[in-house]
Amino acid sequence: MNVPGRAGEEGHGRPHGDEPALADLLLLERDREQAVLSAVIGELRSGRPAVVTVTGEPGAGQGELLRWAARHAAERGLCVLTARATPAERDLRYGVVGQLLSGHQRFADQLPHLLLDRGGPGRFPGLTRLLTVARERPTLLVVEDIHQLDPDSLRWLEALIRRLPRAPLAVLTGSIRTADIGLDWCAGNPLTGSATTVELALPGLTHTGTADAVRAFCGALGDRSFVAAVADATGGNPAVVRDTLRRFARAGHPPDAGHVEHVRAIAAEVTGEHAAAALDGVRDPVALDVLRALAVCDDLLDFPLVLTLGERGALSETRLRAALLDSGLVTVRDGRFRVRGPVVRARVIEEMPIAERADLHARAAELAHRAAADDQGIGDLLLPARPVGAPWVVDTLCRAAAAALRGGRRDRAAAYLSRALAEPLSEETRIRVLLQLAGVELVIAPVAAGRRMGGIIREPGEAAADFRARAGDLCLLGGDTDTVRRALAEFLAGRRPDEARGTPPEGDTARHEELTALFRVAQPLRRTPGEVAFPPAPELPRASRNPAVNGVRAWETAVRGADREEARRQARTALAPDPSGRPPLTVPRLLACRTLLLTEDGEEAETHLCALLAEAHRAHCSVSVARVLALRAELHLRHGRPDSAARDLAAADLELPPDSRHPLSYPYWTALGILTDLASGRPDRARAAAGRPVPPPAEESVSGAQLLFARGLLAQADDDPHRARSLFRACGRWLLQYGWSNPALLPWRSGAAEAAHALGDTAQALRLAREELELAERWGTPGSIGAAQLCLATMSGEDRVQRLRWAVDSLGRAPSRTAYTRAVVALASAESGEPDRATAVAAPVADGAGTKGAGPYGVVARRPGVPAPPPAGAFADAPPSAWRTLSPGERAAAALAARGLVNREIAAALSVTTRTVELRLSGVYRKLRIRGRDELRALVQGTEED
């Protein structure tokens, strides 16, 4: 069938008066059905009777197809009698029969008498005369919506079908029942082979048919995504497609990708209106009750169970099924009754009074609970339900929330937990659910989550005793230090006098110590305005077995850089199981792991971080997972593994998206991203991140100092020493204000010294470098000492080689191989200039390029356009003759390989890929006729001994 409208017609809209004909659109892709009906009409003209049923969902075009057949038969000289069953005439005797017979003049004068005559058994008004008329002239009876037949008309049609073989008469009917259900109106009426029986099931429009409809209405070819959206939103229903495109075209919009969501919204509105119209036609109150119950339960409960929710009265299940199918709002899929689609379900439920709706949902949830249905399914029923007051409700909603979190549906989990709070709860249960809800909201609404957790901390009474510390722990993980500080200050200030003096009652010691430890974590993280007074954080006990106390004390010891062994001991104690059996807090354990990073016990810290990550995954706490991943990314950076750090940060972004983070935590995440991008060789991404605005309160924090440090490294990489020195010094001012002087934390003095040296301020550069070396030696870790020695060696010419040797020795025992590589290259460069060091590996460095660094973070700052200088030669005294055949790149790779660097470290030093290093070393082995690193190392050492 041709669609109105010329192919390739230009324009985005069609004038209102030029809309396609309704009949043409409803007959789209009905060529096969039209051919079948044409054949039936042709056989009828030859005297062969037939029964044809046309089925399909509401709006599939059954009525238009039947009307087309009636016109087609009339044009060929057949007698055509038409009727349409309606709900209004369902109680009228012979309503459809009267419509049929009134269409022929032979019945006009006798119709009132025939319809009023009740007759006796076996008598059917007008049937005999109709058969007489059909013998005189082939007759086609067309009945639309036969599922709405009144009982008398139904029996009349059944009697007519039994007599079909005796006359040239065909019955063409339309119904909204689907083909897999079948029609029962003519059941038990076997026909002889002399009558044709056909059942036509009308499918929805295909993608091609939908595209034709779009072109017909909009006057232009639709974009592929637009056509797909129309087909998906309408389900290919011709009537819904027609009404949707009619409204869309009237607005004058083009059918392109930019209007996909607009047409989806229109389709949902049209589908709802069609459902509302069909719902108005459901007159039977029993069927209406069951339809509502079916819409509420969806596919959660079997149909027999759904029936128990409605008032069935005396209506049999068979009649009830038929009534539901006749409504057009119900379909059968896989043998199960279901309401047609989510839009129809929503409309059926919306039409209910609010009180009845809430009561039906509550009763359905109780029934689903007794039937052991899925927790999330029961939770969905409970969301709009009235409070049930049964103990199982809260447990079910909490399990449903956990299942939703496992599936990544945080919004749904929050809805389940919010609904649980509407039930009558004990005080302890209420606080427990509040804490669970706050944990979910940390990802989707961090500010609201902070308010909830602040309320839990301030909650008076013993019911909240076991939840205050956990609430503060979660709040700190989310980065909301202000809420924790204020809430804990208010709570601790409101304790009884004996408690305020630090003598809590028996049994409350562990809780008090945990709250005090969290208060100390929160207090220094932001400068408080002068007009807001907070009490100083109480001192932690010097000897305690509480993991929270030991974790915080380990961190406080580490940032001061005073006693490395004591910090390590306290960190390990914090990470050991709590002897009291209390659930451990996460923040103190993360601080203990960070302490182990500063003590350069990286492998031990990584083991504990993996255990914390598994624990956070089991608890489905996304913010904990993200924080552990972030700290592990920092560990990877300190160990020279930027690719692993980038993977962990990407995983953290999935758990805690950037838009979901608390504003006070922005500097921490931004700084970590900048450091990772710089270490991965992506300065453009680092610049973009550094340029994003940060909330002003967040800048006044230790994480703000970390951001200043990261921006300083970026400025150093961009060869901007003025900006670099300013940023490094600002970072140092914040750290010193909090008493954090350990250079292993953030080596800002080295960065500022290198910037000052580049600006010609040698005195300041030496002062800062020597101060950092002194502090590093006090702390005692090889990595921080080696980095400070390397920095100082570049500042002063005196003892430079010896300092570089000390740096190489220290950094060789440190976890960061990147810093060791830089030291080796710098030492090789320095030694090559000494006449008495003929054994050195020469590596001239232009302007100190390749010697600058970020200490523990493994970020190399290099001037733009200046590549990392490779070692120029080796074996200055008596190199093998084949050495001269090596290319400069092969010589550089061989020199570094001979000093024990692995391929990844050589690649980092030379700014090439690992594959390039492998190819260069293969060429070295081939040209020198050696078989590997051992022979290369022996060759170099033998030359040195000479």
Side-chain angles (χ1 to χ4, degrees), residues 415-647:
Y416 292 143
L417 294 172
S418 297
R419 171 61 183 82
L421 293 173
E423 292 289 319
L425 304 174
S426 67
E427 192 64 17
E428 182 176 346
T429 303
R430 181 185 66 84
I431 297 174
R432 174 173 57 83
V433 175
L434 268 175
L435 185 60
Q436 291 177 342
L437 176 57
V440 176
E441 288 181 333
L442 274 172
V443 180
I444 59 178
V447 177
R451 287 196 295 267
R452 289 190 191 277
M453 288 184 286
I456 294 174
I457 295 172
R458 297 182 182 92
E459 187 82 28
E462 285 299 312
D466 290 328
F467 300 102
R468 292 190 188 97
R470 291 168 58 189
D473 187 54
L474 266 178
C475 208
L476 286 176
L477 284 172
D480 190 0
T481 55
D482 270 3
T483 295
V484 178
R485 185 170 66 252
R486 294 173 187 275
L488 284 175
E490 293 177 18
F491 175 75
L492 294 175
R495 294 170 66 90
R496 295 194 304 271
D498 60 330
E499 296 174 349
R501 290 194 300 270
T503 57
E506 189 68 25
D508 197 34
T509 303
R511 296 168 182 163
H512 177 76
E513 289 181 347
E514 287 177 346
L515 294 177
T516 303
L518 294 178
F519 194 20
R520 292 190 66 86
V521 173
Q523 193 164 23
L525 294 186
R526 182 182 165 199
R527 185 173 59 184
T528 304
E531 63 272 13
V532 180
F534 284 104
E539 291 294 329
L540 292 172
R542 292 190 174 276
S544 174
R545 302 177 67 186
N546 192 313
V549 172
N550 284 287
V552 174
R553 284 185 60 84
W555 178 245
E556 291 179 345
T557 303
V559 295
R560 290 195 302 268
D563 191 337
R564 178 165 57 106
E565 291 303 323
E566 177 64 14
R568 178 185 284 126
R569 183 193 66 79
Q570 290 170 339
R572 288 172 174 168
T573 304
L575 292 167
D578 189 350
S580 67
R582 290 176 55 80
L585 302 179
T586 302
V587 168
R589 287 184 291 166
L590 286 178
L591 292 177
C593 289
R594 292 196 71 183
T595 300
L596 292 178
L597 287 188
L598 299 188
T599 60
E600 296 185 2
D601 298 295
E603 293 184 2
E604 184 179 352
E606 188 168 8
T607 300
H608 288 294
L609 286 175
C610 291
L612 282 173
L613 185 62
E615 177 186 311
H617 276 301
R618 286 194 299 270
H620 309 294
C621 184
S622 295
V623 68
S624 295
V625 172
R627 280 291 186 169
V628 175
L629 287 171
L631 184 53
R632 197 170 69 175
E634 186 177 338
L635 181 148
H636 290 318
L637 287 177
R638 288 176 176 269
H639 288 204
R641 302 192 292 261
D643 292 342
S644 298
R647 283 194 295 270

Side-chain angles (χ1 to χ4, degrees), residues 64 73 107 217 245 252 282 306 330 404 439 488 508 512-513 521 527 649 726 757 801-802 919 924:
E64 188 55 41
F107 301 96
F217 266 106
L245 292 177
V282 180
V306 174
V330 175
L488 284 175
D508 197 34
H512 177 76
E513 289 181 347
V521 173
R527 185 173 59 184
L649 278 186
S726 175
H757 182 68
V801 174
Q802 185 58 44
L919 294 175
V924 169

Side-chain angles (χ1 to χ4, degrees), residues 120-203:
R123 295 190 59 183
F124 300 99
L127 182 58
T128 302
R129 182 165 296 192
L130 175 61
L131 294 172
T132 301
V133 169
R135 292 188 187 97
E136 297 173 357
R137 182 183 176 190
T139 302
L140 175 67
L141 269 65
V142 180
V143 183
E144 297 182 41
D145 297 334
I146 199 170
H147 53 279
Q148 302 284 5
L149 275 177
D150 63 273
D152 293 294
S153 294
L154 175 61
R155 289 193 296 270
W156 190 92
L157 276 177
E158 290 174 346
L160 172 63
I161 289 175
R162 288 195 296 270
R163 293 166 174 78
L164 275 186
R166 307 176 190 173
L169 190 145
V171 178
L172 175 59
T173 63
S175 171
I176 64 171
R177 297 195 196 176
T178 55
D180 58 336
I181 296 300
L183 296 175
D184 57 3
W185 67 270
C186 59
N189 296 314
L191 300 176
T192 65
S194 59
T196 301
T197 59
V198 179
E199 185 170 351
L200 298 175
L202 301 183

